[in-house]
């Protein structure tokens, strides 16, 4: 992204809006690139969004702890408040934006809005994408001031829908500061524009890094002779972190662990926890 987008001094509302538009135009190219593992990019941004929401709520969990909270869940397990926020963001980015998908994403510890309410919010607001987004964010927070994560997920959905993107790409949740969510009207719109600029500066290098990592992973695929290796590699391109137990195509837990260790040896996958047991792996 050109340096003038992020280094320029946005002193007027017009300048802020212009720079955020430039940032979104560049991001539009990134989310259309085939060499970027889009599913993985959204998952990484969802983790950042969850961490930002948890921090604003005054909780101590950070990315590694949030990964642990959801990485080993079994049916019937409760991930805790921070884990629920993480699951909501993960579900929000998994499927194309729709009323049904958003209702599913918000159905947890976060208060659930009825599908009819979600549909109304998706069509609310006037003006450009960021202006519409700010309107929805303000509306939801005015009625539910403690439900920041739910409000941000809906706002992100409105933003990407206005941009013509299929999936939520979290931008506001990371870029907005704690005090920004208490703003209203023009002040909130300007904060959303600034959040887009700040987030774009992080998303674009992250996308480039993941594209390089995905290319290295695909390059070693012919060397992997394990049955089901192709399906296992696909998980790495779509998930932030994977436990060996998730590789059902590899027949056994032992085979899955050996497969992950082999990828680490080849330098195309990282072990993310630093532990000897209960490990998680990712690009």
């Amino acid at each position: 992204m050109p340096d003038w987008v992020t280094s320029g001094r946005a002193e007027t509302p017009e300048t802020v809006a212009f720079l955020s538009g430039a940032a979104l135009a560049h991001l539009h190219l990134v989310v259309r690139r085939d060499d970027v593992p889009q599913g993985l990019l959204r998952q990484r941004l969802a983790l950042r969004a969850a961490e930002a929401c948890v921090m604003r709520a005054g909780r101590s969990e950070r990315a590694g702890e949030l990964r642990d909270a959801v990485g080993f869940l079994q049916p019937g397990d409760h991930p805790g408040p921070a884990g629920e926020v993480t699951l909501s963001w993960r579900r929000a980015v998994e499927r194309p934006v729709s009323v049904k998908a958003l209702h599913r994403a918000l159905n947890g510890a976060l208060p659930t809005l009825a599908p009819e309410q979600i549909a109304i919010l998706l069509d609310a607001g006037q003006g450009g994408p960021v202006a519409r987004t700010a309107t929805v964010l303000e509306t939801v927070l005015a009625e539910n001031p403690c439900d920041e994560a739910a409000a941000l997920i809906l706002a992100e959905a409105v933003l990407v829908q206005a941009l013509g993107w299929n999936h939520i790409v979290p931008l506001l949740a990371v870029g907005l500061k704690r005090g920004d969510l208490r703003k209203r009207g023009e002040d909130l719109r300007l904060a959303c524009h600034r959040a887009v600029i700040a987030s774009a500066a992080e998303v674009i290098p992250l996308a480039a890094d993941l594209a390089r990592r995905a290319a290295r992973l695909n390059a070693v695929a012919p060397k992997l002779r394990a049955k089901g290796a192709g399906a296992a590699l696909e998980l790495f391109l779509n998930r932030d972190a994977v436990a060996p137990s998730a590789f059902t195509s590899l027949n056994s837990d032992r085979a899955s662990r050996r497969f992950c260790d082999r990828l680490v040896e080849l330098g195309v996958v990282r072990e993310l926890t630093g532990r000897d047991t209960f490990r998680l792996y990712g690009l």
Side-chain angles (χ1 to χ4, degrees):
M1 188 164 62
D3 289 341
W4 56 263
V5 176
T6 53
S7 62
R9 295 185 63 186
E11 297 178 345
T12 67
E14 293 78 10
T15 304
V16 177
F18 174 77
L19 293 177
S20 76
L24 288 171
H26 201 82
L27 277 176
H28 185 83
L29 302 178
V30 173
V31 301
R32 292 290 190 268
R33 289 185 66 98
D34 292 334
D35 58 336
V36 176
Q38 299 292 341
L40 175 57
L41 175 62
R42 294 193 301 271
Q43 287 270 318
R44 286 281 160 87
L45 294 175
L47 180 66
R48 291 188 181 186
E51 184 180 41
C53 288
V54 167
M55 289 176 63
R56 279 193 291 265
R59 299 188 63 88
S60 62
E61 292 92 342
R62 295 299 179 262
E65 294 161 300
L66 297 179
R67 281 189 176 117
D68 283 349
V70 301
F72 303 101
L73 285 178
Q74 298 297 320
D77 288 351
H78 192 284
E84 285 286 6
V85 172
T86 307
L87 284 177
S88 291
W89 277 105
R90 177 180 288 186
R91 291 168 181 153
V93 304
E94 281 177 347
R95 300 181 180 182
V97 173
S98 69
V99 172
K100 183 178 179 180
L102 289 169
H103 187 259
R104 172 180 175 267
L106 298 174
N107 187 21
L110 298 174
T112 304
L113 292 170
E116 296 79 12
Q117 294 173 288
I118 295 173
I120 291 171
L121 288 167
L122 284 178
D123 292 330
Q126 296 180 344
V130 176
R132 289 180 56 191
T133 299
T135 297
V136 170
L137 184 59
E138 182 174 349
T139 299
V140 179
L141 286 175
E143 297 179 2
N144 303 281
C146 295
D147 302 337
E148 290 184 1
L152 285 164
I153 287 172
L154 288 168
E156 303 276 14
V158 170
L159 178 62
V160 300
Q161 190 174 62
L163 293 169
W165 302 352
N166 293 327
H167 294 78
I168 287 177
V169 179
L171 299 174
L172 300 174
V174 177
L176 287 170
K177 302 183 174 91
R178 185 194 298 266
D180 290 336
L181 293 174
R182 294 192 290 270
K183 296 177 179 177
R184 297 292 181 265
E186 181 66 16
D187 289 339
L188 180 58
R189 285 193 291 276
L190 289 175
C192 288
H193 279 300
R194 291 191 175 97
V196 165
I197 299 168
S199 292
E202 295 184 19
V203 173
I204 290 170
L206 174 61
D209 179 60
L210 293 179
R212 289 189 291 268
R213 292 178 184 275
R216 290 199 296 268
L217 183 69
N218 290 326
V220 304
K223 302 178 183 179
L224 304 173
R225 299 179 180 179
K227 185 178 179 180
L233 293 182
E234 194 66 23
L235 286 181
F236 285 116
L237 297 175
N238 287 280
R239 294 191 187 181
D240 163 62
V242 188
S245 59
F247 297 114
T248 55
S249 63
L250 296 178
N251 301 323
S252 71
D253 288 344
R254 182 181 179 186
S256 296
R257 289 193 296 271
R258 291 177 61 185
F259 180 77
C260 290
D261 290 340
R262 172 63 173 153
L263 294 177
V264 172
E265 290 175 3
L266 291 171
V268 295
V269 162
R270 297 174 293 160
E271 200 288 310
L272 301 172
T273 69
R275 297 188 297 254
D276 293 329
T277 59
F278 295 100
R279 290 181 153 191
L280 292 169
Y281 298 83
L283 256 62

